[in-house]
Structure formats: C-alpha cells, structure tokens
Amino acid sequence: MKAEEQHGGDHEVACPQARAELDRLLADERFRATERSRSILRYIVEQQFAGCAEGVKAYSIAVDVLGRQSNFDPSLDPIVRIELSRLRSSLSQYYEAFGEEGGVTVQLPRGRYVAVFTRSTGRFPHIDDREHPATGCAKPADLVLDQAPSAVVPAVPARRWLTASALGLLMIAVVAGGVAVYVSRPITTVKPTVAVTLTAVDEGLRGEASVTRDMLLTALTQFQTLTVSQAQRRERPLASVLRPAKSNAYAIDMKYYGDGDDRSIWWQIVDTATGDLLKSGLESVDTSGRTVAAVRDELVAQLARRFAATGGVINTIETHTASEGSLGNACVLRAEYQLDDGKASSFARTIDCLERTVATNSFDADATAALSAMLAAAQAEAADDGKIARALELASRAVSLAPLSDRAHVALMLSQFYSGRVDAAIAAGNRALALNPNNPDAAAKLGLVLFQSGYFDAGVSLARDAGRSVDVVPRDAVLVLALDAYRRKDWSQASLLSEQVSDSTFLISILRVAALGQLGSDEAVQRLAELRQLAPDFETTFRERMAPRRYQPGLSAAIEEGLTKAGARFKTEGLATAF
C-alpha cells in the first residue's frame, strides 16, 4: 500500500517507451552529462533489459564501462560512486529544467545501480531504495515501473486471467521478442577514439617533442573526425562495450628524432582492443635554412593529415571495417569517400543511411553536413531546386549545431555554390580552411569552386596544397590540375592527369575525350564510344549538363571544341568563344 499511498496507483511504463526515453535523453544536447556518464546510464539500462532487474554491481560498471582492471576493488576505488553521483545530479537538473508533465523520466535511486522509469508529475521526484526494493534478476517487464497518479485498481490474482503455463509462455514470448528487436537494431557508430604519445629519443629534443605533440593534438581536434583522449591505452573506450553505439579505439605512439639538419617522427598505430599493429611510418623534414617553427608546422601538418583526414589511416580502417547498415559515423565517412569518388549514381544508399542517422539524432552535425554535401553534389549532375533548397537548409543547421566544424562549412560552401551564391560559397570555404588548414579535402573542394568561378590561379594553388603529404590526392585537386592544363592548352598533361582520376563520371570522361581530340590521338575514337555508352544523349544535352557545374563559358566551349575534334556532333549555334 505504501506505493499506492504515495502515487495514488501504479500503471506500467512499457518497455518500448522506456527505451525510447533513454535514446531521446542521450541524443539531447541539453542533457549536460559527460560521455562517461552517458555510457554508464546506457549500460545500466541495457543490463536491465537483458533481465537483471535488481541492478548491476559496481565492479561490472568499473570493468565493462570504465576500463578498470579485473582486480578492481570498489572499497578502495570510489570511482563508480563518484560517477553515479554526477549522473544523478545531471538527471535531476535535466528533468527539473526540461521535463514535461506526464512524460517518462529515468532516475537512479541511491543504494544500488538500477534505473527506474516513471511518469513525471511536473517535478523531478525523489526515489530511494526503500520504495523500490530489489526484485532479483527477472523478466524485462520488471523494468517497467511507476506512472503518474490515476484511479486505484485493486490487484487481481493472475490465476483468474491466465494459467501458470500460459503466463510462462507469454513471458517467454515477450523476452524473445525484446531480444529480437534489440539484436535487429542497427548499430550507431561514433568517431574513433585515439590516445597520442610522443617521446624524444634524445634528451636534448624533449622540449621540441613536447611542443610538437601539443600542436599535433590541436591539429587532430581541428579535423573533428577523431575523439582525442588522454586515457591510458589499457583503458577501453567507454562506448565500445555498448549497443547500439559502437566506437573503436587506437593508440598513436611516436618517437621524435633529430639527426643533423633532419627532424623525423617515427609512428605506429595500434588497435587497443586487440593490440594489433595496424600501420607504421616515418615523417621527415629537412631543417636546413628553415626556422624551428616552420619545421614543426610541416611535421604537424603531415602527421595530422596522415592520421585524421578522411583518406587517412584511421578513417580508412573505420570505413572498411564498419558493418553493413551501420548508422552514424560510418555513414558520414562513406559519404565523404563517395563525394571524393564523384559517382553520384552510388549516392542513394548512403543518402538513405544519413537520413536515418539524422532522424535518429537530429543533433548530429556531421551527418547533417554530409547529407547536405551529397544533395548538393547530386545537384551538379541534375539540377533539382528541391534538393538544393534542402541542402542549403541542412548546411545552415549543421553550421548552427557545430560552428567550428570545417565539415559544416564545406557543406555550406557546396550548397551555396550550386544555388548560385558564389561569393557566399567562397566565404564559407575560406572559413572551413581557417578552422582546419590541414584538411586536404576542404582545400581541394574550395580549389574546385574557385576554379569553376574563374579564379584559376587561386584554385590551382589550393589544389596543389591539397596534394601535399597525403597518401591519396583528393579527386577534386587532380580535376582542377587537369582542367587547368586543358585551359593552358597543355593537352598531354590534361590527358595524363584525367587518366589518374580513378572514376569514369561524365565530367572526367568528357575531359579525357576532349584532351585526346585536341591531340588528334587515334584513342579518341574509342574513348568517345565509351562516353556515348555512359551518356548516350550527351551530344544533345551537353550544355544543359555543364550548366549546373557553373564552369566559365570559355572553358566549357574549349572542352566542346575538343569533343568535336574527337568526332562528337554538336549544334554549332551559340557556341561560346574558346580560349
């Protein structure tokens, strides 16, 4: 009767409602809890859904979530109690400020590690262990607890409604259904976590090494593709033990060498979960005639691009190891790789993945920016006012969610450019580079926008910078250099560079044919036939296809001239003057 006296009666909060509240709470940026607190909360609730209704032990939280060793002793190390106190405070402050009357709330009563879901009565209620005694490891329905006051309904013995065997079968079905739904949910991947160490081999270089490491940490955080951690390597990433969020962790170990006029950094990347050495390398810079600061800047730029760029070591591993259907960071990386490939025909599946990610978490700035960029890139292939309007809206939201994100500003640049706001697009691109001067993809995309807008020298300069210190030169950088060679009538160089681009999209294909046509090469006939297979109507739609890309009229005319020399048949009226 005690619960009835306090609440006026009990109704159940259904399991789906409880899970929905947990997911909503963890996705709400207003919930001021650390990543560690969020991981603890999810872990406690997931364990209850798995059937342990009396709660988990401090030892389990310490080992499974906080990465403590198997000899952890909660009586000697109060970390779990401290973290739970912080988490309770965060929950209380959140629901007091943003809780809605009648809405589901989650609370952590003192005395044990168990979550209680209730219906809010307009204030954040206090719940202690006496009001909800332990019930033992039970069915998921035991997780379903109090609701707001309503009419008191006398308890009715279960035997009047169901036989014992029927009740047992029903509970088995409930458990099986809950497990099936839980397992079938897509994994939401998050950014990988990295811990960075840099030691000087020579004691006299310790100061240089320390400053270089600090600058590298700053450069890595500017990319915002990684979560930089100060945790020891033996500690597992907090989110790696939880579903539906999945995060991988890596250790970057480096040694700083100085030999005469050379400065070198040897590095290795280790998977902290398995201890496997994934890749190692050496970056070297000649110091002769250069200041220490200039040498340090070059080393940092090389390492930051190597580790944190979309085409860098870690994100390449993340892209290829993400499970099919994963949401979150895996979608974002996949989108950036496809944007670099330029194959709009493969966008649909990734756009759907990003749409689902944004629907799940509307505060995901990276997914919002990636979705905007993909819609804007699709606009370049086929003009669509609806898509470009949505791309602009998404990019603006991404910037508002993450004003210091170069990804968000690159998305804004692309959507503004393809909507005809060229000056605003260039300003957004410059802002992206200011936020992250080491991002080769941002430099390449801004370079292409500048080149398409007629700022040829500036575009080429950025394209060349984007190709420095990277394993794979961004596609847009190579495209700019190929287009510039064609503009300068260096047909051989234009042909060579266009062949270095791995894809066979419309733009690359016409550039290859046009360069061979200008050279008078016999290969132009074969390439023209391939182009006609790719785009059978290109000779009647060429100018319409080129218009959304906003190339300067003279450059488009020069390409059309080369295609004509290769054997293409265009209408001649209105042909712009070539270079």
Side-chain angles (χ1 to χ4, degrees):
M1 287 295 296
K2 183 172 183 178
E4 291 182 355
E5 291 170 0
Q6 178 173 343
H7 300 298
D10 287 348
H11 280 188
E12 291 184 341
V13 175
C15 288
Q17 293 174 309
R19 182 177 292 283
E21 172 59 18
L22 176 68
D23 291 340
R24 186 201 65 77
L25 174 67
L26 295 178
D28 194 336
E29 65 177 3
R30 299 174 302 177
F31 180 40
R32 300 299 184 183
T34 64
E35 187 64 30
R36 176 174 291 189
S37 293
R38 292 169 183 266
S39 298
I40 291 173
L41 178 59
R42 185 179 288 282
Y43 178 78
I44 291 173
V45 176
E46 297 294 4
Q47 291 300 309
Q48 289 178 238
F49 269 103
C52 196
E54 86 280 9
V56 297
K57 304 299 183 184
Y59 176 86
S60 300
I61 295 174
V63 174
D64 291 343
V65 183
L66 303 182
R68 291 299 193 264
Q69 299 300 305
S70 58
N71 61 354
F72 173 79
D73 186 347
S75 64
L76 300 177
D77 187 344
I79 183 64
V80 176
R81 295 194 300 275
I82 292 172
E83 290 297 335
L84 263 293
S85 177
R86 291 173 178 170
L87 178 54
R88 290 189 188 100
S89 177
S90 297
L91 287 168
S92 177
Q93 292 171 6
Y94 174 81
Y95 283 116
E96 285 177 358
F98 306 110
E100 298 180 358
E101 186 168 0
V104 179
T105 66
V106 56
Q107 303 158 53
L108 299 173
R110 297 183 183 280
R112 59 197 178 115
Y113 306 122
V114 62
V116 175
F117 289 88
T118 67
R119 290 286 183 185
S120 173
T121 59
R123 65 182 184 86
F124 188 72
H126 172 71
I127 294 206
D128 62 33
D129 194 47
R130 293 170 298 177
E131 294 173 359
H132 295 281
T135 58
C137 198
K139 54 189 180 295
D142 285 340
L143 177 65
V144 177
L145 297 175
D146 297 332
Q147 199 181 37
S150 61
V152 178
V153 180
V156 179
R159 65 176 180 273
R160 294 182 57 183
W161 299 94
L162 294 170
T163 65
S165 59
L167 182 60
L169 290 174
L170 176 61
M171 297 317 302
I172 292 174
V174 170
V175 172
V179 171
V181 170
Y182 175 69
V183 171
S184 64
R185 288 182 305 142
I187 294 174
T188 299
T189 55
V190 298
K191 299 174 186 178
T193 301
V194 297
V196 180
T197 60
L198 176 59
T199 58
V201 175
D202 185 340
E203 185 68 21
L205 298 175
R206 177 182 291 183
E208 283 186 32
S210 178
V211 175
T212 301
R213 177 182 179 275
D214 292 344
M215 292 182 63
L216 177 59
L217 290 177
T218 300
L220 292 177
T221 56
Q222 286 173 331
F223 269 95
Q224 298 191 18
T225 60
L226 311 172
T227 299
V228 182
S229 171
Q230 295 296 330
Q232 294 297 317
R233 190 167 73 186
R234 66 176 179 273
E235 296 185 9
R236 288 183 294 172
L238 300 178
S240 66
V241 296
L242 307 172
R243 282 187 62 117
K246 179 182 182 296
S247 173
N248 296 320
Y250 305 89
I252 302 175
D253 296 326
M254 296 174 290
K255 293 181 179 179
Y256 192 89
Y257 293 89
D259 183 13
D261 290 333
D262 290 335
R263 290 292 183 272
S264 302
I265 294 180
W266 171 89
W267 56 267
Q268 66 175 11
I269 298 176
V270 176
D271 184 332
T272 59
T274 63
D276 293 341
L277 174 61
L278 302 176
K279 192 165 184 179
S280 62
L282 183 70
E283 309 295 332
S284 298
V285 174
D286 184 359
T287 65
S288 57
R290 307 176 63 188
T291 65
V292 174
V295 171
R296 186 163 50 237
D297 288 345
E298 184 170 342
L299 277 172
V300 167
Q302 290 178 8
L303 291 167
R305 291 184 175 192
R306 190 79 66 199
F307 299 147
T310 299
V313 177
I314 294 176
N315 285 316
T316 298
I317 294 171
E318 289 286 296
T319 303
H320 289 100
T321 57
S323 60
E324 193 71 21
S326 297
L327 303 182
N329 191 60
C331 296
V332 175
L333 292 178
R334 199 175 302 128
E336 292 180 339
Y337 272 94
Q338 290 179 355
L339 286 169
D340 192 51
D341 287 341
K343 298 177 182 177
S345 59
S346 63
F347 284 6
R349 191 169 184 177
T350 302
I351 287 176
D352 177 68
C353 183
L354 291 168
E355 293 277 18
R356 292 166 61 201
T357 298
V358 172
T360 301
N361 179 7
S362 60
F363 298 103
D364 190 330
D366 290 330
T368 303
L371 179 56
S372 170
M374 295 205 82
L375 292 175
Q379 154 76 15
E381 294 295 323
D384 186 327
D385 291 341
K387 281 185 179 179
I388 197 61
R390 179 137 190 270
L392 274 167
E393 177 186 353
L394 288 166
S396 298
R397 174 164 175 76
V399 170
S400 67
L401 288 171
L404 299 182
S405 167
D406 56 331
R407 280 171 161 168
H409 287 276
V410 167
L412 185 62
M413 173 187 69
L414 295 175
S415 60
Q416 287 176 330
F417 178 75
Y418 289 116
S419 66
R421 299 164 58 185
V422 176
D423 291 341
I426 293 173
N430 283 325
R431 176 61 176 160
L433 271 188
L435 290 169
N436 187 3
N438 294 315
N439 188 346
D441 294 316
K445 285 179 170 55
L446 176 57
L448 183 58
V449 165
L450 287 168
F451 191 90
Q452 289 171 301
S453 304
Y455 301 101
F456 300 124
D457 292 342
V460 169
S461 177
L462 279 175
R464 287 175 176 160
D465 181 66
R468 295 191 183 101
S469 306
V470 292
D471 294 326
V472 179
V473 179
R475 168 188 176 275
D476 288 340
V478 180
L479 178 57
V480 167
L481 297 177
L483 287 168
D484 185 62
Y486 191 96
R487 181 184 69 88
R488 293 183 288 100
K489 300 183 180 181
D490 187 347
W491 318 123
S492 296
Q493 183 70 0
S495 176
L496 177 63
L497 288 169
S498 64
E499 293 293 344
Q500 290 179 8
V501 181
S502 59
D503 65 67
S504 297
T505 57
F506 176 74
L507 184 58
I508 294 297
S509 296
I510 62 170
L511 187 58
R512 289 169 179 165
V513 175
L516 291 171
Q518 296 283 12
L519 287 169
S521 170
D522 294 338
E523 191 180 347
V525 176
Q526 178 184 345
R527 288 291 192 178
L528 180 61
E530 294 172 357
L531 176 57
R532 284 172 173 157
Q533 287 183 340
L534 175 68
D537 63 343
F538 89 91
E539 286 155 302
T540 58
T541 62
F542 175 77
R543 293 168 196 173
E544 289 80 1
R545 284 174 174 267
M546 293 298 289
R549 293 178 170 85
R550 303 185 180 279
Y551 283 102
Q552 293 297 294
L555 180 57
S556 294
I559 293 174
E560 190 170 347
E561 178 186 89
L563 292 169
T564 301
K565 290 182 179 180
R569 296 180 290 274
F570 299 104
K571 295 179 181 179
T572 57
E573 60 269 19
L575 183 65
T577 304
F579 288 101

